[in-house]
Amino acid sequence: MAKAIGYAAQAADKPLSYFEFERREPKADDVEIEIAYCGVCHSDLHQARDEWGGTVFPCLPGHEIVGTVTRVGNDVTKYKVGDKVGVGCMVDSCGTCISCEQGHEQYCENGFVATYNGEDKHLGGATYGGYSNRVVVREDFVLKIADDQDLAAVSPLLCAGITTYSPLHHWGVTKGHKVGVVGLGGLGHMAVKIAKAMGAEVVLFTTSPGKVDDAKRLGADHVVISKDEDQMKAWRNRLDFILNTVAAPHDLDAYMELLRLDGTMTLVGVPASPHPSPSVANLIFKRRSLAGSLIGGIRETQDMLDFCAKHNITSDIEMIDIDEINDAYERMLKSDVKYRFVIDMKSLKQQ
């Protein structure tokens, strides 16, 4: 056992605060990582405030982890001390079910182990995440980061990047496709960048006229104000694929109508209450599909990191110190960030 420090919520109605705890010593197949930066995901807030239910306290969030390898177990072959690496939303899975064997650990039939608030198979209790100084993770769930990339700006790729890359990749987005992205936030801004790099013609849908210029800066070919009926009508039956990143209940039919024959809209945002049910006729008469997608497997996440490195894609970030995390949560609720907070772990000091 080795001491570690971080920031955790002691209860759903308590702010995150300094917290001392223990990590396991690296086992034969483990990698120990000194955390340099950790991205802040909206799901961190949901978990810390128990808005989805089932949070185990103390809750120490963070699943967009990047840093440097400090120790490796005797059986580790992929990494060595000094390597730049990342850890995303999972730190383990059963490895034996069909989903795991196919490289889709996120759909593990026995339940993957979440980076935080998962079942800690080694120490008991809940896993603790990346709002901390160090972490120990199985080699198979560690990801390689290119040496020449900005570590801080890479960290949100471990969740926001793979959450958007996976459905774009799975549904075969490529050159010549017209792709809609709904919402320009932490997920949406990554979807625009990645879809554009895949060769698609990208249409960004937003309720905010003030985001038009930024959407085009990020790579959108067209920006549609979704409250404007005429602008929406102009795109009916024209899109091959829509990635809907909005995590609030809204009218899905308004977007389903924009899909052409055999088009698909995939949801990646999880609203606190259900979306209104879409019209069945909207699906039947154009053989359209409504689907969902959850992060990505480890192999696909590495593919995403390599793709982003090749195309020089990182997240647009605002750096914060760890003691600013509670204010950052409140700002996230107001969408007051462009487009992802990242914690500089040098700001985490022993108290």
Side-chain angles (χ1 to χ4, degrees):
M1 303 289 283
K3 289 185 177 180
I5 58 174
Y7 262 53
Q10 299 293 334
D13 60 348
K14 301 294 183 184
L16 276 71
S17 58
Y18 181 80
F19 179 61
E20 295 186 354
F21 62 105
E22 292 182 321
R23 299 282 194 192
R24 69 180 184 269
E25 287 288 335
K27 299 181 183 296
D29 61 348
D30 279 339
V31 174
E32 181 187 69
I33 302 162
E34 180 182 354
I35 300 174
Y37 304 99
C38 186
V40 180
C41 179
H42 210 112
S43 51
D44 297 348
L45 183 155
H46 290 309
Q47 291 273 23
R49 297 182 177 181
D50 199 21
E51 292 177 350
W52 290 339
T55 299
V56 177
F57 293 98
C59 174
L60 196 157
H63 56 206
E64 297 177 348
I65 300 167
V66 293
T68 305
V69 175
T70 50
R71 286 192 290 174
V72 298
N74 292 334
D75 294 342
V76 170
T77 59
K78 299 177 186 175
Y79 303 101
K80 63 183 185 304
V81 172
D83 283 350
K84 304 300 182 186
V85 296
V87 177
C89 302
M90 303 177 288
V91 292
D92 211 342
S93 69
C94 78
T96 58
C97 71
I98 293 175
S99 294
C100 287
E101 288 180 346
Q102 293 178 344
H104 303 307
E105 297 92 347
Q106 77 274 33
Y107 302 122
C108 176
E109 293 170 24
N110 295 298
F112 69 81
V113 178
T115 303
Y116 68 90
N117 204 54
E119 181 185 354
D120 192 324
K121 297 180 180 179
H122 302 276
L123 303 180
T127 52
Y128 293 135
Y131 293 9
S132 56
N133 62 331
R134 55 191 295 274
V135 67
V136 178
V137 180
R138 274 187 57 204
E139 175 185 29
D140 290 342
F141 286 80
V142 176
L143 298 144
K144 176 67 176 173
I145 295 174
D147 289 333
D148 60 349
Q149 285 201 288
D150 178 353
L151 268 185
V154 166
S155 63
L157 302 184
L158 277 304
C159 179
I162 186 57
T163 295
T164 51
Y165 176 90
S166 183
L168 291 168
H169 175 253
H170 177 76
W171 273 275
V173 168
T174 190
K175 186 175 181 179
H177 284 173
K178 287 183 172 65
V179 172
V181 175
V182 184
L184 190 66
L187 294 178
H189 94 287
M190 290 306 311
V192 169
K193 291 184 179 187
I194 292 170
K196 185 67 176 178
M198 289 176 167
E201 182 178 346
V202 180
V203 186
L204 188 280
F205 294 88
T206 178
T207 59
S208 305
K211 292 186 176 182
V212 171
D213 290 342
D214 218 30
K216 291 183 176 179
R217 174 186 67 82
L218 293 164
D221 298 286
H222 314 277
V223 183
V224 175
I225 306 305
S226 56
K227 293 179 180 179
D228 187 316
E229 291 186 11
D230 290 336
Q231 290 189 40
M232 292 291 282
K233 284 180 182 178
W235 286 95
R236 282 184 179 172
N237 303 314
R238 294 181 61 187
L239 299 179
D240 299 285
F241 181 77
I242 297 174
L243 186 59
N244 191 328
T245 71
V246 175
H250 60 280
D251 177 18
L252 299 180
D253 277 323
Y255 297 101
M256 295 300 295
E257 293 173 353
L258 309 184
L259 293 169
R260 59 179 48 168
L261 178 66
D262 289 330
T264 297
M265 179 163 71
T266 298
L267 309 179
V268 291
V270 182
S273 57
H275 296 294
S277 180
S279 164
V280 174
N282 254 341
L283 302 175
I284 288 175
F285 284 98
K286 287 288 183 180
R287 204 162 58 194
R288 296 167 174 138
S289 299
L290 179 64
S293 180
L294 175 70
I295 52 173
I298 296 301
R299 183 171 63 239
E300 189 175 41
T301 304
Q302 188 64 63
D303 289 345
M304 177 275 302
L305 288 170
D306 296 343
F307 176 90
C308 288
K310 177 181 178 181
H311 293 277
N312 197 29
I313 295 172
T314 55
S315 181
D316 285 27
I317 66 169
E318 179 180 335
M319 197 87 76
I320 61 169
D321 289 345
I322 188 69
D323 62 4
E324 298 176 283
I325 186 61
N326 294 300
D327 289 337
Y329 278 9
E330 294 305 315
R331 286 181 56 194
M332 261 199 315
L333 289 173
K334 301 173 184 176
S335 299
D336 180 24
V337 56
K338 288 187 175 179
Y339 281 95
R340 208 76 166 181
F341 286 117
V342 172
I343 304 167
D344 184 350
M345 283 305 161
K346 290 194 298 291
S347 65
L348 177 60
K349 306 293 184 184
Q350 184 90 32
Q351 294 183 12

